Amino acid sequence: GAVVSQHPSWVICKSGTSVKIECRSLDFQATTMFWYRQFPKQSLMLMATSNEGSKATYEQGVEKDKFLINHASLTLSTLTVTSAHPEDSSFYICSARDRASGSMGTDTQYFGPGTRLTVL
Amino acid sequence: AQSVTQLGSHVSVSEGALVLLRCNYSSSVPPYLFWYVQYPNQGLQLLLKYTSAATLVKGINGFEAEFKKSETSFHLTKPSAHMSDAAEYFCAVSDAGQGGKLIFGQGTELSVKP
């Protein structure tokens, strides 16, 4: 159980184009999903928190107009990188919070396999 | 603000040897702590989590971690390393007051020598 998928697993695009990445919780409902970015040999950097049916909350320094997040259902969140440039090339990982009976902090985040974005 | 520090960006052990990956945290509230493992070009897999129950937490693949409040530590151990344990390991802290956001440490790359 608690499987999260991401699509696509990798994508190559030209500079100036937009790319959409999907994150799905396959066997549980996720009221909250998180989007991370990871550079080579580095840790995960939280970009935004996505709540079903409401606007995403972006971390400081993350451009919300560039990284559009939509969480239209309890099992799907999408990240769209608009007008992508080479510096947006990175590994993007989503996670979904499985809502347990305890407090929010104890809920486990289950991670997707990641999407490798390369912008030429 | 909460933070996590992983001591040692790279740890190398021989197959069969003890694995010890260090994690120290800073939190003004009782922390919830997690260890995740990441294999190359993959997402993160939960190894174990501490949520204020037992201080010694057992996880998957033979790993365990002990929460020590006096030392603000949550070190990850495994008695005998396998080649398949070679991966990147991340310690993370979560705060219910922040909507369950995870704050990650810098990561520790574990190498296992035959």
Side-chain angles (χ1 to χ4, degrees):
Chain A
V3 178
V4 176
S5 69
Q6 276 184 248
H7 179 79
S9 56
W10 59 270
V11 57
I12 301 173
C13 69
K14 293 182 178 180
S15 185
T17 61
S18 294
V19 175
K20 180 185 284 187
I21 302 170
E22 293 186 349
C23 177
R24 293 181 185 272
S25 56
L26 298 185
D27 49 5
F28 66 98
Q29 292 184 334
T31 53
T32 303
M33 290 183 173
F34 302 86
W35 286 96
Y36 298 85
R37 184 173 180 176
Q38 185 180 34
F39 291 104
K41 300 295 185 182
Q42 294 189 26
S43 188
L44 281 72
M45 181 190 77
L46 179 65
M47 298 174 65
T49 302
S50 168
N51 292 297
E52 187 266 337
S54 64
K55 290 184 179 180
T57 302
Y58 291 82
E59 295 299 301
Q60 191 172 10
V62 177
E63 299 176 61
K64 57 184 175 183
D65 293 332
K66 181 166 187 63
F67 299 100
L68 300 179
I69 292 172
N70 183 276
H71 193 161
S73 78
L74 288 172
T75 60
L76 173 64
S77 176
T78 60
L79 168 68
T80 301
V81 183
T82 63
S83 186
H85 288 96
E87 57 265 30
D88 298 324
S89 298
S90 190
F91 193 53
Y92 292 88
I93 306 176
C94 73
S95 70
R97 187 165 63 85
D98 185 5
R99 208 166 173 187
S101 58
S103 66
M104 255 187 228
T106 66
D107 296 345
T108 298
Q109 287 187 30
Y110 295 96
F111 286 79
T115 296
R116 174 77 57 192
L117 170 63
T118 301
V119 185
L120 303 177
Chain B
Q2 294 180 309
S3 65
V4 172
T5 301
Q6 290 182 240
L7 300 176
S9 59
H10 186 258
V11 170
S12 181
V13 301
S14 298
E15 191 174 19
L18 171 71
V19 175
L20 171 60
L21 304 182
R22 300 178 187 273
C23 172
N24 288 87
Y25 69 90
S26 172
S27 178
S28 58
V29 298
Y32 302 115
L33 296 159
F34 303 79
W35 275 100
Y36 285 89
V37 60
Q38 184 181 33
Y39 296 99
N41 295 310
Q42 294 187 27
L44 275 66
Q45 180 183 11
L46 178 69
L47 284 175
L48 48 82
K49 66 177 182 179
Y50 166 76
T51 57
S52 74
T55 56
L56 182 61
V57 182
K58 294 187 182 299
I60 62 171
N61 301 339
F63 284 94
E64 63 181 36
E66 186 173 8
F67 173 72
K68 291 186 176 180
K69 184 177 180 181
S70 60
E71 298 178 8
T72 61
S73 69
F74 190 57
H75 301 332
L76 181 71
T77 61
K78 181 174 181 177
S80 177
H82 294 162
M83 296 297 292
S84 60
D85 294 327
E88 189 84 17
Y89 291 80
F90 292 97
C91 181
V93 62
S94 171
D95 176 12
Q98 293 292 319
K101 290 197 302 187
L102 288 175
I103 306 300
F104 285 91
Q106 305 90 319
T108 298
E109 182 180 5
L110 175 65
S111 299
V112 182
K113 299 174 292 187

